[in-house]
Amino acid sequence: MTADDAPDVALRAEAIGYSYGDRVAAEDVTFDIASGEILGFLGPNGAGKSTTMKMLTGQLVPRTGVIDILGMRMPKQREEIQARIGVCFEEKNLYPSLTARENLKFFAQLFGVEGFGADALLERVGLKGRGGERVSGFSKGMQQRLMVGRALVNRPDVLFLDEPTDGLDPVSARAVRAIIKEEAERGAAVLLTTHDMHEADALSDRVAFINDGRILALDSPESLKLRHGRRAVKLRFRNGDAVEEEVVALDAAAGEQLRSLVSRDGLLTIHTEEATLEDVFVEFAGRRLE
Amino acid sequence: MSATRVWRLLAKDLRLGPRSPLVLWALVLPVALTLLLKGVFGGLLDPKPRLGFVHQPSYEVTRFDGLDGIEVTRVGTEDELMRLLRDGRLDAGVVVSEEFLRQLQAGEQPRLDLRISGASAGQNRGIIIAGLLGAVRELAGGGPDVEVDVVTIGEAGLPIDVRLLPLVVIMAVAIAGAMVPASSLVEEKERRTLQALFVSPASPAEVFLAKGLLGGLLAMAAGLVTLALNDAFGTQPAATVLGVAIGAVMMAEIGLLLGAWAPDTNTLFAAWKGGALLLLFPVVVFIWPDLPTWIARLGPTYYFLRPIYAVSVEQANLADVWLDLAVGVLICVALVPAVLAAGRWLERRLAEGRMGKPSAKSEAAAPA
């Protein structure tokens, strides 16, 4: 048994790739996710996030590379793998003519879940008391919460979440983030695709930057920021009625420059500044995450 | 392939079915079409074979008035009887002569001249002959067999409402069998729920099988209701039911192919308007029997319509139609790999984002 086959590696993608005709959507994508780990998948639209997720969930067959999930090979053991994963899509795709409870029960039945408690799950995603209502009457936020609930009907070992907090109000978004944390603590490996850098930073154990179909960087948010972000000290001074600002990059020459500034008259505040994931992404991709 | 999952998928579609106008239409269509044709071309609420007879008033022949399943009309003269037969207003007629009754009572073998309208259905002729012979034997107290001479009156050919039977059957079976699964697939594409199914343990084959079963069962029901309304099961109902079953399967398969291909509801209905002609054209040889049969043989639907028509109208039996039925079965079997390939093709197209754009209806389903 190799290190990659160790039991705590829930998902391993090795050099996977996919092309739409001549256009390469994903190329040589390699990463793994351990059980209980949250991996943030970050990239702009068209970067290859969705294509990668579709290969991992069995919707697309990779043209190159290997996917192992829970010790099984995708797509060869697709049915067995799909029985143990949960997928939350970015686009709403519930049955509007069915009630929330019927939607959950239907998918639980497809997964062969015995004794499924729809109401407990509805309560968990903040839809307590709404189980008997048709989804067609739900707001987009309610539908999104139900989508998250649907991804959990089989207590998945690997969870794929595509923009799970998209369209949610801040309170609901916080509740969904808490659920993601709980699922990871339960032992589920989570692949989280998001545009929200703060969300990725707050939730992810590691993040992968993907652009033009390739993974540009893969590490913990802290490590990426420390290694690739620009750290600085920001000092503010009063100059008459105006407030001036000086930013000193924390490099080799920073000590002398800081000493000089600190001794200047009118010093109001001193703040250290850390790079954000957005800054790091720009450094890697040469573009912002839009 | 899991039978349990197929059942779950089918149960979901059955639950959603009554909310679909197309499913309701598929169930109402056989009744509506039958009533329309019977109303326009006659025979509405009058499905019984019609027998007229001329008799000598001095003899008691009331036994003829109460023949089971036959509408009997006493006609004053032989000329009037011939006119009614020529006009197709009676299926058959007899003149009960004094000589016939005398021979019957004398225990001799009498001869009965049965005049058949050229426009009468074979099924009606059979019922009338059987009923008539039974009544004559009863009249003679179980006497000798009757010799029946059959004379056809008027131009040979079936009434138009009978010749339109294949059209009614194909409309009922095609709408239910093809359009219901096709529209169900397209709707799931538009709502993107197919993607959710395809990442569950349900395979495209299971999803397609469930939708095919939905269409097949509805088509079977619609086809059988149509035959029942038209009293067209024939002398061998098992053969007609088999024909309907083959038609239901074939239409369901065609519907799945259509549903896999059509990207949205508008395209589906546009394609149906044009493509339905390919399914319907074999009926022309039933409506206009002078047309060469090879034209109809080019269409797959011929191979279940012909057996149904032959058994229900022409009194054929299974041995007469087995070859057409076998070709129908072969077409159904040949379509299976195409349907499975369509399922995989559809899944890839959806995953590549090349299909399943939302309709205005599905977008509007979610209030802001």
Side-chain angles (χ1 to χ4, degrees), chain A residues 128-202:
Chain A
K128 184 181 180 184
R130 312 300 292 264
E133 295 176 27
R134 281 194 190 176
V135 171
S136 55
F138 277 14
S139 68
K140 284 184 177 173
M142 290 165 74
Q143 290 191 24
Q144 183 60 37
R145 279 181 275 159
L146 187 58
M147 297 266 296
V148 172
R150 188 180 66 183
L152 304 177
V153 292
N154 58 331
R155 285 176 59 85
D157 294 315
V158 182
L159 193 51
F160 297 91
L161 303 168
D162 197 352
E163 306 284 356
T165 56
D166 186 40
L168 291 182
D169 60 84
V171 175
S172 299
R174 199 179 310 136
V176 168
R177 286 183 196 121
I179 290 171
I180 296 170
K181 281 275 189 195
E182 287 165 16
E183 287 299 304
E185 283 162 13
R186 179 174 64 77
V190 181
L191 180 63
L192 171 69
T193 299
T194 179
H195 278 93
D196 187 338
M197 287 289 184
H198 299 294
E199 180 170 275
D201 202 350

Side-chain angles (χ1 to χ4, degrees), chain A residues 249-274:
Chain A
L250 287 177
D251 52 24
E256 187 60 33
Q257 197 181 351
L258 275 174
R259 265 193 296 278
S260 162
L261 286 169
V262 168
S263 59
R264 214 169 98 181
D265 287 342
L267 178 63
L268 290 174
T269 59
I270 304 174
H271 292 286
T272 55
E273 266 197 350
E274 274 199 346

Side-chain angles (χ1 to χ4, degrees), chain B residues 87-174:
Chain B
D87 293 348
R89 288 160 65 188
L90 290 176
D91 293 307
V94 288
V95 177
V96 184
S97 65
E98 289 180 31
E99 177 63 12
F100 172 80
L101 289 172
R102 190 195 61 74
Q103 286 179 329
L104 200 64
Q105 284 165 352
E108 299 169 14
Q109 188 178 41
R111 213 181 72 177
L112 183 65
D113 287 332
L114 179 66
R115 294 108 196 262
I116 297 288
S117 167
S120 65
Q123 176 192 18
N124 287 352
R125 297 175 189 185
I127 293 170
I128 286 172
I129 290 172
L132 207 50
L133 289 177
V136 169
R137 279 201 204 93
E138 208 171 300
L139 204 62
D145 283 341
V146 178
E147 190 182 329
V148 179
D149 277 353
V150 177
V151 181
T152 302
I153 307 297
E155 284 186 25
L158 296 167
I160 187 67
D161 61 323
V162 174
R163 284 183 279 142
L164 284 171
L165 176 69
L167 179 65
V168 183
V169 170
I170 186 70
M171 291 289 283
V173 173

Side-chain angles (χ1 to χ4, degrees), chain B residues 204-230:
Chain B
E206 288 169 349
V207 173
F208 270 48
L209 179 56
K211 296 206 180 294
L213 281 172
L214 173 73
L217 290 172
L218 276 175
M220 192 78 193
L224 294 180
V225 167
T226 303
L227 292 179
L229 288 172
N230 287 277

Side-chain angles (χ1 to χ4, degrees), chain A residues 54-254:
Chain A
K54 284 169 180 173
M55 287 190 281
L56 297 172
T57 53
Q59 297 173 78
L60 288 175
V61 178
R63 307 264 198 240
T64 60
V66 172
I67 297 169
D68 283 327
I69 297 176
L70 304 167
M72 295 177 279
R73 184 62 51 94
M74 182 70 95
K76 194 178 172 189
Q77 292 166 284
R78 171 183 158 156
E79 187 182 324
E80 294 92 325
I81 293 171
Q82 286 180 331
R84 293 177 60 188
I85 66 172
V87 182
C88 177
F89 294 83
E90 181 182 7
E91 293 169 326
K92 314 291 179 289
N93 57 1
L94 299 155
Y95 288 100
S97 300
L98 298 182
T99 66
R101 191 180 291 111
E102 285 170 338
N103 265 282
L104 292 182
K105 279 190 168 175
F106 169 60
F107 277 91
Q109 287 167 343
L110 287 185
F111 280 95
V113 179
E114 301 289 336
F116 173 67
D119 289 331
L121 187 50
L122 285 166
E123 185 174 352
R124 195 174 169 206
V125 295
L127 292 172
K128 184 181 180 184
R130 312 300 292 264
E133 295 176 27
R134 281 194 190 176
V135 171
S136 55
F138 277 14
S139 68
K140 284 184 177 173
M142 290 165 74
Q143 290 191 24
Q144 183 60 37
R145 279 181 275 159
L146 187 58
M147 297 266 296
V148 172
R150 188 180 66 183
L152 304 177
V153 292
N154 58 331
R155 285 176 59 85
D157 294 315
V158 182
L159 193 51
F160 297 91
L161 303 168
D162 197 352
E163 306 284 356
T165 56
D166 186 40
L168 291 182
D169 60 84
V171 175
S172 299
R174 199 179 310 136
V176 168
R177 286 183 196 121
I179 290 171
I180 296 170
K181 281 275 189 195
E182 287 165 16
E183 287 299 304
E185 283 162 13
R186 179 174 64 77
V190 181
L191 180 63
L192 171 69
T193 299
T194 179
H195 278 93
D196 187 338
M197 287 289 184
H198 299 294
E199 180 170 275
D201 202 350
L203 284 177
S204 307
D205 298 302
R206 288 186 301 154
V207 293
F209 290 149
I210 186 165
N211 195 34
D212 293 332
R214 288 177 165 274
I215 288 187
L216 304 175
L218 173 59
D219 209 335
S220 68
E222 207 56 40
S223 176
L224 282 171
K225 286 186 287 187
L226 283 172
R227 280 197 288 128
H228 301 286
R230 196 173 66 104
R231 288 177 299 147
V233 175
K234 187 190 283 182
L235 303 97
R236 299 170 81 201
F237 299 92
R238 181 178 301 284
N239 185 4
D241 290 338
V243 174
E244 290 178 350
E245 204 171 82
E246 293 277 354
V247 179
V248 179
L250 287 177
D251 52 24

